[in-house]
Amino acid sequence: MNKFVKNFDNLSLDFNNLFEILSQLELPSYIKNTSVTQEQILKSTFEIQDVHKHKYFENITNKIVNFYQLKNTKIDVHIFTSVLQGNSGSVHVDDYDVALYNLYGETMYIVDKEKYILEAGDLLYVKAGEIHQSISLKPRITFSLGVRS
């Protein structure tokens, strides 16, 4: 299995296009950084769930499912965005695999002490149980496909 794929695809998405897509759907969305104060809301990472309901994200989902041969597997499809450089997710472990496809900006992922810099078009596969964290090097839009077994 390819853990890191540089230039997996040439798909990209900027914030204008993302918000245009989101305005067509009513999707659950969350602020991930609960420690951020109301005055610092832009320092948060935002999670938008179930984006596969839109054709654009359905296309990305299908490409990743085919690439990793994930047919007949339960998946969750979300977007994570950060609008400011330096925003970071918490250090955590998932109990399922996650394919992370960077659509916009640059994001550093630290996975079990190894660093990966994802630019638009790059794909990273994080196995269940691997300790990982995201750090936005630039504003970013990251597509996340959770693979439930």
Side-chain angles (χ1 to χ4, degrees), residues 36-53:
V36 172
T37 65
Q38 189 70 24
E39 294 80 23
Q40 299 174 325
I41 204 80
L42 291 179
K43 291 185 178 181
S44 297
T45 297
F46 301 91
E47 176 183 4
I48 303 143
Q49 296 184 345
D50 301 332
V51 296
H52 65 283
K53 294 177 180 179

Side-chain angles (χ1 to χ4, degrees), residues 36-86:
V36 172
T37 65
Q38 189 70 24
E39 294 80 23
Q40 299 174 325
I41 204 80
L42 291 179
K43 291 185 178 181
S44 297
T45 297
F46 301 91
E47 176 183 4
I48 303 143
Q49 296 184 345
D50 301 332
V51 296
H52 65 283
K53 294 177 180 179
H54 190 276
K55 189 169 188 71
Y56 180 84
F57 296 114
E58 181 183 11
N59 181 33
I60 297 171
T61 301
N62 291 335
K63 286 183 181 198
I64 294 172
V65 165
N66 290 333
F67 182 75
Y68 287 117
Q69 300 175 1
L70 302 172
K71 295 259 191 243
N72 302 319
T73 304
K74 183 179 178 335
I75 56 173
D76 299 323
V77 183
H78 307 306
I79 291 287
F80 290 92
T81 66
S82 299
V83 296
L84 297 180
Q85 173 181 328

Side-chain angles (χ1 to χ4, degrees), residues 128-139:
E130 290 184 314
I131 299 168
H132 59 283
Q133 178 184 27
S134 65
I135 301 169
S136 299
L137 301 178
K138 295 181 180 176

